[in-house]
Amino acid sequence: RNLSVKDVCFIGAGYVGGPTAAVLALHNPAVTVEVVDRDPHRIQQWKSPHLPVHEPGLDALVRAVRKDSEEETQSASQRQQNLVFSCESARALAKADIIFMAVNTPTKMFGVGAGCATNMTAFDGAMRDVATYAKAGAIIVEKSTVPGGTADRVRKMLAASRPGVPFEVLSNPEFLAEGSAIENLTTPDRVLIGSAATPSGRQAARTLASLYTAWVPSDRILETNTWSSELAKLVANAMLAQRISSINSISAICERTGAEVDQVAKAIGLDARIGPQFLKAGLGFGGSCFRKDIASLAYLAESLGLDDVAEYWRQVNTMNERQRDRFAHKVISRFDGNLVGHKLAILGFAFKKNTGDTRESLAADVIRVLLEERPSEIAIFDPFCRADDIMRELKTVCPDVSERDVVKIHTDPYLACSQAHAILVVTDCDQFRNTPGKKPIWTHNSNFVQSCAADCTDCRAHSTRPTTEAIEWPRIAYNMVEPKWVFDGRGLLDVAELEKLGVRVDSVGRRT
Ligand code: NAD
Ligand code: UGA
């Protein structure tokens, strides 16, 4: 039973706001969930058949709960239709009982704390809208990942701009991982709610909890104070990232000895106190969150005068950068320092499998190093990324790059790899595996959606093709050019099987 919540508003229709709002709407049919964003294009995409975010299960979920236009509503009145996307924040905020702040909080790149602190421009801008339009008694929820102490700061800001008006500010960080967002939201390990240690603060926490208990067992809902909740989010990401940097540091040792990193990871992961997750060695962690959240944690420690604590956590990021640098330089050294006249194919550009998110792509950094060696071509294939997202991300690390010269983006893996001297597996997509017997089905290639007309209202043709299976490595290997190197940056490939096809394989964390 939700405690008299009728209207919920999410500010920020991104990777977190959209999927979280959809799951909340599904399980609370009596609540209207409106997602607002300042970017009209993004809102248009959420209303269209081609959502701006690729997540397994998301399309079907949004179709099930999204409110359609009036004509469509007539024919689909059986559906729930309590999820709304719009740019009308003033109206949506004015009626909301609960407001989730789900805007981006990247690293600040200017002024005090540049490169470490959190850039709160978007968050504070959205908060100004909340302060202007929210109704008295609204509960404001930090869903974005924010620096510790933000709830206290927001409370003071609201007290100054709306004196005497009661608001409660909660911290409710999100722990979903991209590529498994719907699964994570549907069966979360925990839901964390931080509140003020006052009767009204606790009451607000109970009200928010009542939305979650519609589908989350109440023993998975953890209540803390707001500082603990804010800090726990940063620490959860830092600890996960730390495991990746730790195993990657061991992969460097393995590459110079006879040990194999996957065997080491398995052996240590069987210790119940260590556990098997997040011990997959690779190119390091990419994505929009781990690096920036560690930077934020280190900045917090530094601002508290805890320089050794800050340095400890910064090392996790440093190790991470070195890992992909080491990989790129290994490729160069396999070609005796000369990539001129060689074609390299990159399999995977997103920061991990099952997502089209190119933010802080590992591939972009690797390509930046390789481009300095002037190869004849770098061909990129990713099953989920759009070409314009790839180019945008690439330009953030190589501003001069242009698709017309060396870099080419393909929608067909066989074309990307044809006549390549080397193939680099950069993303852990199951489609790139060569394990015999495992043939995952490709569901939806968003590259094809790009060619869809802007006013397309029926995407069935696009969403069903190509239903390609795992790539056929014999075909890829046959069309390569000597010296036929395959660099497995994710420890994804069965090396012995691949070598049977006449290619040389260099895999992370193994001596070749
Ligand atoms: P995103 O960039 O995909 O989405 C943020 C959205 O907020 C954008 O669409 C932007 O236009 C909108 N926005 C910014 N300012 C606005 C304003 N004033 N009014 C209305 N809309 C505004 O970001 P994201 O990946 O969804 O991340 C959001 C937050 O969640 C971040 O703090 C992030 O650290 C955290 N988080 C992200 C993930 C993830 O997997 N991406 C997981 C957990 C937590
Ligand atoms: C991560 C956390 O897992 C989420 O709990 C958190 O909510 C989110 O950050 C966030 O705050 O944004 P995400 O970055 O989406 O989620 O994806 P992960 O699965 O954590 O992977 C991050 C990176 O680490 C990827 O590049 C992935 O390939 C890499 N990774 C992951 C490894 O190299 N090895 C591993 O064992 C696991």
Side-chain angles (χ1 to χ4, degrees), residues 407-488:
V407 173
K408 299 205 167 33
I409 300 169
H410 292 265
T411 52
D412 177 338
Y414 301 102
L415 280 180
C417 295
S418 174
Q419 303 300 301
H421 297 86
I423 294 172
L424 283 61
V425 178
V426 179
T427 299
D428 53 340
C429 285
D430 291 324
Q431 293 89 340
F432 301 156
R433 288 183 190 274
N434 68 328
T435 324
K438 282 195 183 164
K439 286 254 170 188
I441 304 296
W442 293 21
T443 47
H444 178 198
N445 185 336
S446 44
N447 281 316
F448 283 79
V449 172
Q450 289 169 82
S451 57
C452 175
D455 58 353
C456 168
T457 53
D458 178 6
C459 73
R460 266 174 305 176
H462 307 95
S463 62
T464 54
R465 79 184 154 104
T467 52
T468 321
E469 296 188 337
I471 61 172
E472 292 167 29
W473 276 99
R475 189 171 155 196
I476 297 266
Y478 178 77
N479 286 314
M480 287 179 75
V481 173
E482 290 294 342
K484 295 196 181 200
W485 270 109
V486 175
F487 296 93
D488 180 4

